[in-house]
Amino acid sequence: MVQIMGFIFWLLIIPFCIGFLPAKFISEDKRNPITVFLAGYLLMWAVFEVITIPAVIWIQYDNFIFVLRWFMAVAILLAAAGIIIRYLDWKRTDGTKSWLGLTNLTFSGLKTETKIEWLLFLALVGFQLYMAVTMTSFDGDDAYYVVESLMAQQSNAMYKNLPYTGRSSSLDLRHALAVFPIWVAFVAVKANLHATITSHLVMPLLLIPFSYMIYYEISKVLFNSNPESNLVSNKENIPVFMIIMAMFQLFGNVSIYTNETFFLTRTWQGKSVTANVVIPALFLLLLWLFTGEKEKRGKNAGLWIMLVCLNMTAGVCSSLAVFLIAILLGAMAVCLMVVERDWKIPLKLGATCIPNLIYVMLYLGLAV
């Protein structure tokens, strides 16, 4: 029970409360529990990167203890600030609106066949979760990534020993800046559970539904004829889209390199999070930012904050993802510049990649 409460606190409550900070600057039609949850995780992972990477590079001994103390303190402070800000906003409405500001998560008024489609989708997701937990997969990368989490948990050191042998080694630059295994170790320590169990059991239960939440938000934009409305039109199309995505994930194991393979068999690895959370979230943020008439798009400062945090999250997951996200943003910036007829769009999207540039400069500086 103690472990379950620890996971609920650090994987659900803390990121959700942190998400109130960026959500304050997002228009109400986009502000719902999924948006708050996504914003919280992106901001939390960005903060984790800022705290952990300097500790990996410049602290010689017991650097994981430094991360445990400082990230815990900062995360709790951010969560408390999020609760206070949300409470103050709610008080300004005289309590007429939901405390959480839930504006567009509604499943009322659905046809019977649409409800059946939603049940089918939930059954598919339930099957995936069941198989991911009971038929957990092991591969060669576990000998590195999971062991890195375990060594941090047991020895309080990050990237100081070679996972394959346990012997001391120089800094492994290829992996040292991608600190997602360290975040898994942090969660494992705070929940008082073995890092291997956390990776193979808990992470799929979190990340698989998390990915589908992002696809759900994408579907609402794609099938909504009026993005500024609180009511989602074409509701019957959304569960069909979600079923198709679930089927892609189930039958996408056409090679060991597809994102579907990583999604279900290597869920806990940073590469999987890049393919199944970070990249879909990138498309979602761009859809939110550039869908609808310019004068009716509402507040979007929070979305730009989330986009900056997403670029930082890419570095948490994988060093290669830093380049991949920057390339994707560059290609999208050119397309959006032509469609929107706004030459400032590449400058705005380019500015969100400043963390990527700093990351690359640090990587190259350490490599020299």
Side-chain angles (χ1 to χ4, degrees):
M1 181 57 70
V2 174
Q3 287 92 342
I4 294 175
M5 295 303 298
F7 285 125
I8 290 175
F9 183 75
W10 285 104
L11 296 181
L12 298 179
I13 296 176
I14 287 293
F16 191 81
C17 294
I18 292 175
F20 285 131
L21 295 173
K24 174 179 172 57
F25 306 101
I26 299 175
S27 56
E28 287 190 5
D29 64 294
K30 300 182 182 69
R31 192 188 307 151
N32 61 56
I34 294 176
T35 306
V36 174
F37 196 59
L38 175 60
Y41 259 99
L42 293 179
L43 180 54
M44 182 181 69
W45 280 331
V47 170
F48 187 79
E49 179 186 45
V50 171
I51 293 174
T52 306
I53 288 181
V56 170
I57 298 172
W58 290 301
I59 298 179
Q60 185 67 28
Y61 301 106
D62 293 334
N63 47 13
F64 185 58
I65 294 179
F66 175 88
V67 173
L68 285 174
R69 293 171 178 171
W70 281 97
F71 179 68
M72 180 182 67
V74 174
I76 291 176
L77 286 175
L78 289 174
I83 293 173
I84 293 171
I85 287 176
R86 182 59 209 149
Y87 175 75
L88 293 176
D89 284 346
W90 176 73
K91 289 292 290 185
R92 292 190 190 102
T93 66
D94 297 324
T96 57
K97 292 187 178 181
S98 168
W99 192 89
L100 297 178
L102 314 184
T103 57
N104 61 350
L105 268 184
T106 174
F107 295 93
S108 60
L110 296 178
K111 299 178 181 178
T112 301
E113 55 267 32
T114 305
K115 294 179 181 179
I116 294 174
E117 290 165 353
W118 274 116
L119 291 175
L120 176 58
F121 165 71
L122 293 175
L124 290 172
V125 175
F127 175 73
Q128 292 177 27
L129 292 173
Y130 172 78
M131 295 300 291
V133 170
T134 61
M135 303 292 290
T136 186
S137 172
F138 295 89
D139 60 74
D141 278 350
D142 278 3
Y144 191 96
Y145 296 108
V146 176
V147 175
E148 278 291 358
S149 300
L150 182 58
M151 287 195 303
Q153 182 184 31
Q154 294 186 343
S155 66
N156 295 319
M158 302 180 296
Y159 299 104
K160 298 297 183 183
N161 300 300
L162 187 65
Y164 303 121
T165 63
R167 295 178 179 177
S168 298
S169 67
S170 58
L171 185 67
D172 182 5
L173 185 59
R174 179 190 168 194
H175 300 96
L177 301 188
V179 292
F180 192 83
I182 307 303
W183 178 75
V184 174
F186 172 86
V187 174
V189 169
K190 291 305 174 184
N192 194 28
L193 192 66
H194 197 282
T196 305
I197 299 174
T198 303
S199 298
H200 285 265
L201 177 64
V202 179
M203 288 298 122
L205 294 177
L206 167 72
L207 295 172
I208 290 175
F210 193 15
S211 181
Y212 282 119
M213 290 178 191
I214 297 173
Y215 285 124
Y216 170 71
E217 289 297 318
I218 291 175
S219 71
K220 289 202 302 183
V221 180
L222 296 178
F223 300 112
N224 188 359
S225 59
N226 182 11
E228 305 303 325
S229 171
N230 289 337
L231 298 177
V232 179
S233 60
N234 298 322
K235 290 181 181 180
E236 66 275 8
N237 292 326
I238 296 177
V240 176
F241 173 85
M242 298 302 293
I243 290 172
I244 292 173
M245 295 307 302
M247 296 300 288
F248 276 139
Q249 300 290 13
L250 279 172
F251 295 98
N253 185 28
V254 295
S255 83
I256 63 173
Y257 301 110
T258 64
N259 70 293
E260 293 88 356
T261 300
F262 276 73
F263 180 71
L264 293 178
T265 65
R266 303 162 78 170
T267 317
W268 50 90
Q269 296 178 12
K271 293 175 286 188
S272 175
V273 178
T274 298
N276 296 290
V277 173
V278 175
I279 293 178
L282 172 63
F283 284 98
L284 174 60
L285 289 174
L286 292 176
L287 284 171
W288 274 340
L289 283 167
F290 298 103
T291 298
E293 300 178 11
K294 292 182 180 180
E295 60 276 7
K296 295 182 179 180
R297 287 173 182 169
K299 295 190 300 182
N300 57 14
L303 299 179
W304 288 102
I305 294 172
M306 290 173 64
L307 191 55
V308 173
C309 292
L310 182 137
N311 279 284
M312 299 176 70
T313 298
V316 172
C317 297
S318 170
S319 299
L320 184 60
V322 173
F323 297 92
L324 179 59
I325 294 298
I327 292 171
L328 281 174
L329 274 174
M332 293 174 183
V334 174
C335 297
L336 288 168
M337 179 183 66
V338 175
V339 173
E340 297 278 318
R341 298 180 182 178
D342 185 355
W343 60 270
K344 292 184 289 186
I345 288 179
L347 297 179
K348 294 177 181 178
L349 293 179
T352 66
C353 294
I354 291 176
N356 304 51
L357 179 61
I358 296 173
Y359 189 100
V360 171
M361 292 176 62
L362 179 61
Y363 189 98
L364 294 177
L366 292 172
V368 173

